[in-house]
Amino acid sequence: MYDGCFELNSSQKSRKMGKILSLMGRPLRNFNVESRAHKIISQEKPVPAPKHKSDQLIYDEIMKNHPEGSDETQIKHVQLDKYLKDVYVKSHDPNPPQKAQTNPDRPLPLNRHQVEDYEYGFKEPDKIPIGKTTLRQALQFITDHHNDSKLHTPQKIAQDYQIPEESIKNILKYYRVFEVYIPEQRKVKAKFAGPSVPRIKVTAQPKKQLSSGKDKDDT
């Protein structure tokens, strides 16, 4: 039967006691900690940490054999300090970078905005050489010839656009402009496209009933 009492083992007891002692000692460690820190920082020369026994023996031997070494470390050498201040380095590039010269005929772009998409997917030239044509012009004279072939003949198109007549004839022969055909809307209702006479005919036939065994016994 459980009576509600339990006993702590040794490890639990030590852990609990250590926690209590740490909580009790924390206020003592933090007491006046700021003033103590300022007191140590304001000292003229901090006390060095104690040296190891072997290091201390080596240091004492050096001081014994060369006592002037400790005095030199405490004295400021004015001449050496002057040498340190006079030392400086000058550097120069034998091949200095030259500034790129801009061509006034082909200046660099100054507009950094996003380029909008062109109508035909690419920028059309401002100047068209003689004997050449653009996609816009080709679509225009192909459409004009298709609408009125008697008025816009290959000879007239070649004269207007300054293109050889043979090239115009080949363009009109092998190229066409897309046309859109919209079917007329019919107002007649759709008719059933199935057979007028049903292929399967369903008929009702009476089923024969089996006689029961009682009729045989009665006979």
Side-chain angles (χ1 to χ4, degrees), residues 146 177-184:
H146 180 73
V177 179
F178 288 108
E179 298 180 359
V180 179
Y181 293 93
I182 301 176
E184 298 180 358

Side-chain angles (χ1 to χ4, degrees), residues 19-35:
K19 187 175 182 181
I20 294 173
L21 293 176
S22 63
L23 292 175
M24 292 175 61
R26 186 177 300 171
L28 298 176
R29 291 195 305 269
N30 297 336
F31 175 74
N32 202 14
V33 64
E34 187 174 355
S35 61

Side-chain angles (χ1 to χ4, degrees), residues 9 29-30 36 40 48 50 54 58 72 79 87 90 96 100-101 108 114 133 143 160 167 178 199 218:
N9 54 23
R29 291 195 305 269
N30 297 336
R36 285 185 290 161
I40 295 174
S54 59
I58 295 173
E72 291 181 358
Q79 188 65 26
V87 171
K90 285 185 178 181
Q101 298 180 358
L108 296 175
Q114 185 178 2
T133 184
T143 305
D160 294 341
S167 300
F178 288 108
R199 298 178 182 177
D218 295 339

Side-chain angles (χ1 to χ4, degrees), residues 118 123-129 134 137:
Y118 298 103
K123 186 179 183 302
E124 299 181 26
D126 298 331
K127 297 180 181 180
I128 304 171
T134 61
Q137 293 179 349

